[in-house]
């Protein structure tokens, strides 16, 4: 979309329209923010001001004679023009104290705020606007009003029905107006505004893309930078306007959802930290995460190029999964992640790992975290079977105000706030409650989430991995669960069947095809552990045991061919549990009997152990071999 320098926010246009039609306007939503004044008038175009300032100049430019603000803690006032509060007070013979007319809000009695508001709206001599600031805080609860609170809003309803129009000397007609500034519409009693034809609700949201464009591409652009840096660099972009536009467009996209207050803070921070024009987007990392250097920009590219070797050390027989996983990383590094979409704030990558148990799904995620962020601790795992209840989204994202656990925050939002650069692993995603799926939709689409405490957390620097056993079983015509894939099938057949089953689950059983659309083609099917791969896994595990004994205990361990053959037969006998099953056999056939053997021989360190055979004829496998302790040597 091209920049429109004359763009006026939707809520501003609505305010302009309905100020001519409705005597009462409710402004709700982002009312505590600052705003860029979009037109020339009493306030210069492009000025950044708070909402009360904005409204004062808005109605002053429209010729209103009296503009008054009310706050239930202060009373009536006008900090911009003291004569206006004097004119307002003259209607009631009220005395102002240093520009303030004190009047209680509650009740509907003479001398109270409601009676004064009603009289100002009912007169037709002077066009008047009364702005009720912080109106969300006038009553304790909209659902349990005291009699005084009930009387006050009853009086305001009556005032809205009796509000007059005022004609000035030039025959211009203006409505007397009452403006409420509320955080949420339901902070007011519902009966006050529902089905009242004299009331209009206008929601003020976060700055739109067009508003952010006006801030970044307009006259304010230079104010983002130190003057010396700007003057040195802007001439270089005059010959490359497309490059400048790319920087600006990326900043506009990454700042989606931010308030004008935050955008103004970014502008000041960018200038203070002396960012260069090409580094403009880096200030968002500093603002969101408190860091100037993004780990994604510090990655060792040679290490990434050779990452398949690191994967092969830890995950055997899953070359397709490794390649697909690294493709997502390379896409993120090259800046092509989400290029087909309009948002730069989405997670760096999304993967859906499916396949038999024990095939390396979790290990792949941990390996990826170590490659990217230096430690597998950067892989943050959530067991989704723990989030299967209807209220589980509160445990994950934080309870709303007033509920138990509100102060603690959410487990997911806390984790990503503390570790924004991480791999998020959601194990067995199909076990999560459907309400959590709705939250994942927002995370995958927008890359951000607001927790129960109202704090926004960002997922734009992490990789999200879902794991699932979906597709392993299906239901036959009789409704019984039967295997959908078996080890004797080719990988191509396994992959096709599992992908089809996953698609059917999301589309037909769960009824949420949009989740599948967010994942896209990033469903990665892990293969069964085939016999040749099982041998490699077994060899790696045995080798690791030997190395650990040598390093930590200075014990040299050797296995005869006969002993190794026994171990291999047990490991390959049943591959249904994948690599995890092989590990169980190694523990049962080797680690446990070896521990007994070393204990019985009192060999706790510094020695040589030779295993001649492993006897598995009884329930407890037994090691047959010899031990030479260092102390036995002369």
């Amino acid at each position: 979309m091209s920049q429109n320098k004359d763009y006026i926010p939707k809520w501003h246009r609505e305010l302009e329209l309905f100020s001519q039609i409705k005597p009462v306007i409710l402004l709700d939503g982002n009312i505590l923010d600052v705003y860029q004044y979009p037109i020339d008038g009493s306030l210069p175009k492009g000025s950044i001001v708070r909402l009360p300032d904005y409204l004062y100049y808005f109605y002053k430019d429209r010729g209103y004679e009296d503009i008054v603000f009310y706050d239930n803690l202060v009373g009536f006032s006008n900090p911009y023009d003291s004569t206006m509060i004097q004119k307002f007070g003259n209607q009631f013979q009220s005395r102002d104290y240093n520009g303030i007319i004190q009047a209680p809000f509650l009740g509907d009695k003479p001398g109270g705020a409601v009676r004064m508001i009603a009289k100002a709206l009912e007169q037709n001599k002077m066009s008047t606007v009364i702005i009720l600031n912080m109106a969300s805080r006038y009553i304790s609860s909209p659902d349990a009003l005291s009699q005084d609170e009930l009387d006050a809003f009853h009086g305001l309803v009556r005032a809205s029905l009796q509000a007059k129009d005022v004609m000035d000397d030039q025959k211009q007609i203006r409505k007397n107006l009452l403006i409420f500034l509320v955080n949420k519409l339901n902070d007011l009693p519902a009966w006050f505004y529902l089905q009242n034809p004299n009331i209009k609700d206008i929601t003020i949201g976060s700055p739109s893309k067009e508003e952010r464009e006006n801030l970044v591409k307009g006259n304010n652009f230079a104010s983002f930078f130190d003057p010396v840096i700007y003057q040195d660099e802007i001439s270089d972009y005059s010959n490359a306007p497309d490059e400048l536009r790319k920087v600006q467009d990326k900043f506009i996209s990454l700042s989606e959802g931010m308030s004008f207050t935050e955008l103004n803070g970014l502008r000041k921070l960018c200038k203070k930290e002396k960012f260069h024009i090409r580094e403009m987007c880096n200030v968002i990392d500093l603002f969101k995460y408190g860091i100037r250097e993004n780990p994604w920009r510090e990655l060792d590219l040679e290490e990434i190029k050779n990452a398949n070797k690191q994967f092969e050390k830890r995950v055997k027989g899953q070359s397709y999964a490794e390649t697909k996983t690294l493709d997502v990383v390379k896409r993120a590094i090259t800046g092509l992640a989400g290029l087909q979409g309009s948002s730069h704030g989405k997670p760096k990558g999304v993967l859906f790992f499916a396949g038999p148990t024990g095939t390396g799904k979790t290990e792949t995620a941990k390996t990826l975290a170590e490659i990217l962020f230096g430690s597998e601790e950067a892989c943050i795992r959530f067991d989704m079977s723990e989030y299967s209840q209807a209220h589980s989204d509160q445990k994950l994202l934080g309870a709303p105000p007033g509920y138990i656990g509100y102060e603690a925050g959410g487990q997911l939002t806390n984790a990503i706030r503390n570790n924004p650069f991480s791999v998020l692993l959601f194990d067995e995603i199909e076990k999560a409650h459907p309400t959590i799926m709705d939250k994942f939709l927002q995370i995958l689409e927008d890359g951000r989430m607001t927790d129960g405490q109202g704090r926004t957390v960002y997922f734009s620097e992490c990789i999200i991995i879902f794991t699932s056993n979906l597709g392993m079983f299906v239901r036959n015509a009789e409704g019984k669960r039967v295997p959908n894939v078996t080890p004797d099938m080719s990988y191509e057949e396994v992959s096709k069947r599992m992908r089809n089953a996953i698609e059917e689950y999301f589309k037909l059983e769960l009824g949420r095809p949009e989740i599948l659309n967010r994942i896209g083609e990033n469903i990665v099917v892990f293969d069964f552990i085939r016999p040749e791969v099982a041998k490699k896994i077994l060899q790696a595990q045995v080798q690791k045991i030997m190395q650990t004994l040598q390093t930590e205990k200075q014990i040299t361990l050797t296995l005869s061919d006969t002993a190794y053959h026994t171990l291999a037969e047990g490991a390959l006998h049943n591959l249904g549990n994948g690599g995890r099953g092989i590990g169980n056999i190694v523990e049962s056939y080797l680690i446990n009997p070896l521990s007994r053997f070393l204990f019985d021989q009192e060999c706790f360190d510094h020695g040589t152990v030779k295993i001649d055979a492993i006897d598995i004829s009884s329930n407890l496998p037994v090691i047959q071999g010899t031990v030479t302790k260092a102390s036995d040597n002369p």
Side-chain angles (χ1 to χ4, degrees):
M1 183 182 296
S2 60
Q3 178 194 3
N4 181 359
K5 294 183 179 179
D6 298 320
Y7 176 78
I8 296 176
K10 178 176 178 290
W11 69 268
H12 178 111
R13 288 179 273 131
E14 288 182 320
L15 189 64
E16 197 166 42
L17 173 64
F18 288 102
S19 292
Q20 306 172 55
I21 303 172
K22 305 281 187 177
V24 180
I25 295 175
L26 312 180
L27 290 177
D28 72 276
N30 194 28
I31 63 166
L32 301 179
D33 201 0
V34 295
Y35 303 87
Q36 189 175 25
Y37 203 66
I39 56 176
D40 273 322
S42 302
L43 193 66
K45 180 179 179 180
S47 299
I48 297 175
V49 295
R50 296 202 172 276
L51 186 57
D53 304 336
Y54 193 114
L55 294 175
Y56 171 74
Y57 291 108
F58 177 89
Y59 286 111
K60 181 181 179 182
D61 288 341
R62 279 149 189 79
Y64 274 85
E65 300 169 77
D66 201 16
I67 304 168
V68 179
F69 294 86
Y70 177 78
D71 184 310
N72 66 325
L73 296 179
V74 176
F76 294 97
S77 64
N78 185 317
Y80 313 95
D81 186 342
S82 60
T83 62
M84 288 190 174
I85 196 65
Q86 293 171 5
K87 287 189 290 184
F88 180 80
N90 288 340
Q91 300 178 70
F92 319 102
Q93 291 80 47
S94 297
R95 179 184 173 189
D96 69 270
Y97 299 88
N98 295 322
I100 294 173
I101 297 175
Q102 297 176 344
F105 176 76
L106 298 182
D108 185 14
K109 301 172 184 176
V114 172
R115 286 286 180 93
M116 297 173 75
I117 291 169
K119 186 171 182 179
L121 294 181
E122 292 167 11
Q123 57 81 33
N124 61 0
K125 303 297 183 183
M126 179 173 59
S127 56
T128 302
V129 179
I130 302 173
I131 299 168
L132 304 184
N133 202 6
M134 303 294 289
S136 291
R137 302 293 174 259
Y138 292 3
I139 56 177
S140 56
S141 170
D143 300 320
L145 298 179
S146 67
Q147 189 60 51
D148 281 344
E149 292 171 339
L150 187 65
D151 291 345
F153 276 94
H154 186 193
L156 292 176
V157 170
R158 189 172 61 242
S160 74
L161 298 174
Q162 297 174 355
K164 297 288 194 304
D165 294 345
V166 178
M167 180 182 294
D168 64 13
D169 296 338
Q170 285 75 41
K171 307 299 182 182
Q172 294 288 324
I173 297 177
R174 297 178 184 84
K175 279 194 169 296
N176 289 327
L177 297 171
L178 178 62
I179 311 293
F180 285 77
L181 304 186
V182 294
N183 299 97
K184 303 188 302 293
L185 192 60
N186 59 9
D187 287 335
L188 303 178
W191 57 264
F192 169 70
Y193 55 85
L194 291 178
Q195 298 181 334
N196 187 335
N198 294 295
I199 293 179
K200 173 62 181 176
D201 169 45
I202 299 175
T203 299
I204 305 178
S206 299
S208 66
K209 180 181 178 183
E210 291 84 357
E211 290 176 272
R212 300 196 307 277
E213 280 185 339
N214 277 347
L215 180 67
V216 175
K217 294 185 177 181
N219 295 331
N220 282 310
F221 181 67
S223 67
F224 277 80
F225 306 98
D226 177 82
V228 175
I229 291 175
Y230 183 79
Q231 290 300 325
D232 284 347
E233 297 182 359
I234 194 62
S235 58
D236 295 335
Y237 287 100
S238 61
N239 299 321
D242 288 345
E243 291 303 313
L244 180 60
R245 188 161 52 248
K246 285 179 183 177
V247 173
Q248 293 172 327
D249 286 345
K250 186 174 181 181
F251 182 92
I252 291 165
S253 180
L254 288 173
S255 60
E256 182 180 358
M258 289 186 173
S259 65
F260 257 124
T261 300
E262 292 171 321
L263 291 171
N264 200 36
L266 288 177
R267 180 176 63 84
K268 294 177 180 178
L269 191 59
C270 192
K271 183 175 183 177
K272 179 178 180 294
E273 294 294 320
K274 298 185 183 300
F275 279 96
H276 296 273
I277 293 177
R278 68 178 184 278
E279 300 173 326
M280 183 182 188
C281 295
N282 295 1
V283 74
I284 295 179
D285 291 336
L286 186 58
F287 179 81
K288 287 180 178 178
Y289 313 120
I291 54 101
R292 180 156 182 158
E293 298 302 328
N294 188 316
W296 282 97
R297 291 189 287 270
E298 302 297 316
L299 289 174
D300 186 335
L301 297 185
E302 283 301 317
E303 186 175 349
I304 301 298
K305 290 177 183 178
N306 298 311
N308 60 316
K309 295 179 181 178
Q310 195 164 342
F311 273 114
E312 288 167 5
K313 289 180 182 178
R314 298 181 59 169
V315 182
K316 308 295 184 184
Q318 305 295 346
S319 57
Y320 174 80
E322 294 163 8
T323 301
K324 188 73 175 179
T325 300
L326 285 173
D327 280 348
V328 169
V329 173
K330 291 171 183 176
R331 202 161 64 225
I333 293 172
T334 55
L336 299 182
L339 197 62
Q340 72 278 19
S342 58
S343 174
H344 289 83
K346 294 181 179 181
K348 290 290 187 186
V350 179
L351 289 158
F352 189 101
F353 288 172
T357 183
T359 52
K361 298 188 289 291
T362 300
E363 193 69 16
T364 299
K366 290 181 178 180
T367 305
L368 180 61
E370 185 171 12
I371 292 170
L372 294 177
F373 306 120
S375 170
E376 65 177 52
E377 297 298 321
C379 178
I380 306 172
R381 178 180 174 273
F382 294 89
D383 184 348
M384 300 314 293
S385 63
E386 298 177 7
Y387 304 91
S388 58
Q389 303 302 315
H391 61 275
S392 296
D393 60 328
Q394 295 182 13
K395 183 165 65 170
L396 201 64
L397 303 168
Y403 285 77
I404 294 174
Y406 165 70
E407 299 84 0
Q411 294 173 351
L412 172 59
T413 49
N414 286 346
I416 201 66
R417 185 179 293 109
N418 294 330
N419 301 282
F421 302 91
S422 58
V423 173
L424 293 179
L425 177 63
F426 299 100
D427 258 342
E428 299 186 284
I429 185 61
E430 73 277 6
K431 295 183 179 179
H433 192 272
T435 57
I436 290 180
M437 294 296 188
D438 295 332
K439 307 300 182 183
F440 282 134
L441 272 176
Q442 182 180 345
I443 291 171
L444 297 180
E445 183 63 27
D446 301 329
R448 66 178 186 273
M449 175 64 63
T450 301
D451 66 10
Q453 298 178 347
R455 299 176 298 184
T456 301
V457 293
Y458 301 92
F459 296 80
S460 53
E461 302 301 327
C462 68
I463 285 182
I464 293 178
I465 298 177
F466 302 107
T467 75
S468 173
N469 292 322
L470 282 172
M472 289 297 297
F473 294 89
V474 294
R475 296 193 181 276
N476 61 15
E478 290 78 31
K480 295 180 179 179
R481 290 179 80 244
V482 295
N484 182 40
V485 292
T486 55
D488 59 335
M489 296 177 181
S490 68
Y491 173 71
E492 289 73 19
E493 180 69 12
V494 170
S495 180
K496 179 181 178 182
R497 282 171 169 261
M498 292 201 67
R499 290 177 68 93
N500 288 340
I502 291 168
E503 289 179 10
E504 286 186 10
Y505 172 80
F506 280 105
K507 291 178 180 178
L508 303 179
E509 187 173 339
L510 192 61
R512 305 304 300 272
E514 62 271 25
I515 297 175
L516 197 63
N517 291 337
R518 299 302 190 280
I519 297 168
E521 291 300 312
N522 293 329
I523 296 175
V524 181
V525 177
F526 281 64
D527 195 9
F528 282 98
I529 298 298
R530 311 285 179 174
E532 60 275 12
V533 175
K535 293 175 182 176
K536 293 180 181 179
I537 294 174
L538 175 62
Q539 185 179 20
Q541 292 190 6
V542 172
Q543 195 67 34
K544 185 175 182 180
I545 293 170
M546 291 178 171
Q547 290 174 352
T548 302
L549 281 173
Q550 183 64 56
T551 303
E552 297 182 4
K553 302 290 186 180
Q554 289 75 51
I555 293 176
T556 302
L557 175 66
T558 59
L559 275 76
S560 69
D561 292 343
T562 302
Y564 192 85
H565 179 72
T566 303
L567 200 58
E569 276 190 334
L572 273 63
H573 177 67
N574 182 5
L575 295 177
N577 291 322
R580 197 170 291 116
I582 296 172
N584 291 338
I585 290 295
V586 171
E587 181 177 329
S588 177
Y589 282 21
L590 179 59
I591 296 177
N592 289 343
L594 179 59
S595 299
R596 290 197 308 272
F597 185 68
L598 291 174
F599 182 85
D600 292 342
Q601 300 296 323
E602 297 184 6
C603 181
F604 303 110
D605 53 38
H606 296 86
T608 300
V609 178
K610 181 181 179 184
I611 299 177
D612 297 321
I614 303 174
D615 183 2
I616 59 171
S617 58
S618 63
N619 290 333
L620 291 175
V622 176
I623 293 292
Q624 297 175 352
T626 57
V627 172
T628 303
K629 292 182 284 187
S631 59
D632 295 339
N633 295 323

